[in-house]
Amino acid sequence: MELNLKNKVIIVSGGAKGIGLGIAKVLAAENAIPFIVGRNKNDNIKAVAEIASSGAKVFQTVAELTNPSACEQAVAAVVQQCGRIDGLVNNAGVNDGVNLEDGSYERFMESLHKNLVHYYLLAHYALPLLIKSKGAIVNISSKTAETGQGGTSAYAAANGGRNALTREWAVELLKYGIRVNAIIVAESWTPLYEKWISSLSNPEEKLKEITSKIPLGQRMTTPEEIGNTAAFLLSEKSSHTTGQLIHVDGGYVHLDRAL
């Protein structure tokens, strides 16, 4: 299917690693121009080099997205470099384990800035350009908002916010023809996931236990599979899809775990 994304400038926050990198690679393969926004310059440059090696156009800017002014500056960098914005993928974040019993106000609020506030700010600052292009927004979210996980109150709250903003923006932006959807991720193999598994005393056993509960294929979702759905949602081929929470999770959330 031709998605007609050629030369479309798509911001991908957290696009240097993991799911974000998977999305950026798919967009580049579809001849779009991913613009990576990430906190680590070396990671950004490495991702750009990897994507550009195939002949694709790709750009990056360094931004610590927990800093509100950095969100505005990141969008300004995209506009200065490319002159347009055709899509936004809000992806950056981390499951930081701020729980109810041992957490604190300070850590809870810090987590919301890591995982939710910049979703709003990037969309806010990109909106004038998205209105011009009639672009689309894709918010990457997590199953934790729907299933709970235990020990991660702040991250679950942030993802509940991501889901709510998806529906709210879909309504608010109808008048501009801007579509807003979310991809709900369950278990996807990323560097952060690998780091967490490796920190356990029985990583191989734990990984086998987790994957055995994923109905479709008893395997994790790949970043590329999430990227494929993101590319579709950003494209005109999903022209009548908005306000949707789309689960790309091998049936993890909704299918019977006894399968």
Side-chain angles (χ1 to χ4, degrees):
M1 181 183 293
E2 174 55 59
L3 296 180
N4 298 323
L5 288 173
K6 186 175 182 179
N7 293 328
K8 301 289 188 181
V9 177
I10 313 292
I11 297 174
V12 184
S13 70
K17 286 185 174 181
I19 290 170
L21 180 58
I23 293 169
K25 285 180 176 179
V26 170
L27 290 173
E30 292 292 336
N31 297 309
I33 304 173
F35 204 116
I36 293 168
V37 177
R39 69 198 308 182
N40 186 292
K41 183 176 181 179
N42 290 334
D43 289 342
N44 288 2
I45 291 173
K46 182 179 177 182
V48 165
E50 183 178 353
I51 293 171
S53 66
S54 64
K57 290 183 181 179
V58 56
F59 299 98
Q60 65 85 28
T61 189
V62 178
E64 175 48 70
L65 295 176
T66 57
N67 180 349
S69 63
C71 296
E72 183 175 14
Q73 291 164 10
V75 172
V78 179
V79 177
Q80 182 179 19
Q81 187 79 36
C82 299
R84 61 182 295 146
I85 299 172
D86 299 288
L88 167 65
V89 179
N90 276 317
N91 163 75
V94 59
N95 191 339
D96 48 12
V98 180
N99 68 1
L100 180 62
E101 186 173 4
D102 303 313
S104 66
Y105 168 79
E106 291 77 14
R107 291 181 63 212
F108 185 83
M109 294 305 296
E110 180 183 357
S111 183
L112 292 186
H113 277 276
K114 287 180 183 176
N115 292 298
L116 178 62
V117 176
H118 60 80
Y119 273 46
Y120 172 85
L121 291 175
L122 287 177
H124 172 71
Y125 291 121
L127 185 56
L129 279 297
L130 289 170
I131 290 172
K132 287 183 180 179
S133 65
K134 287 194 175 180
I137 298 173
V138 174
N139 293 323
I140 304 303
S141 189
S142 163
K143 67 177 175 62
T144 56
E146 299 178 78
T147 65
Q149 188 175 69
T152 187
S153 293
Y155 187 65
N159 280 286
R162 293 172 180 179
N163 295 354
L165 287 179
T166 299
R167 293 262 163 82
E168 169 61 19
W169 294 348
V171 174
E172 181 174 347
L173 302 180
L174 285 172
K175 60 187 176 183
Y176 299 120
I178 294 175
R179 297 176 300 98
V180 187
N181 294 286
I183 296 174
I184 314 299
V185 180
E187 305 293 340
S188 181
W189 189 253
T190 66
L192 280 175
Y193 204 110
E194 183 177 13
K195 182 178 180 181
W196 171 70
I197 283 286
S198 299
S199 71
L200 303 178
S201 58
N202 56 341
E204 291 184 7
E205 291 179 21
K206 185 63 176 179
L207 184 59
K208 185 176 181 180
E209 176 189 345
I210 292 169
T211 55
S212 70
K213 295 177 181 178
I214 301 171
L216 187 58
Q218 288 74 55
R219 65 168 179 84
M220 291 196 172
T221 308
T222 68
E224 181 184 9
E225 287 170 323
I226 296 166
N228 288 337
T229 301
F232 171 72
L233 292 172
L234 289 163
S235 79
E236 62 186 34
K237 296 300 183 182
S238 59
S239 56
H240 213 230
T241 301
T242 194
Q244 300 304 304
L245 310 181
I246 298 173
H247 294 72
V248 183
D249 65 355
Y252 187 95
V253 171
H254 292 105
L255 300 187
D256 192 331
R257 300 291 177 83
L259 288 168

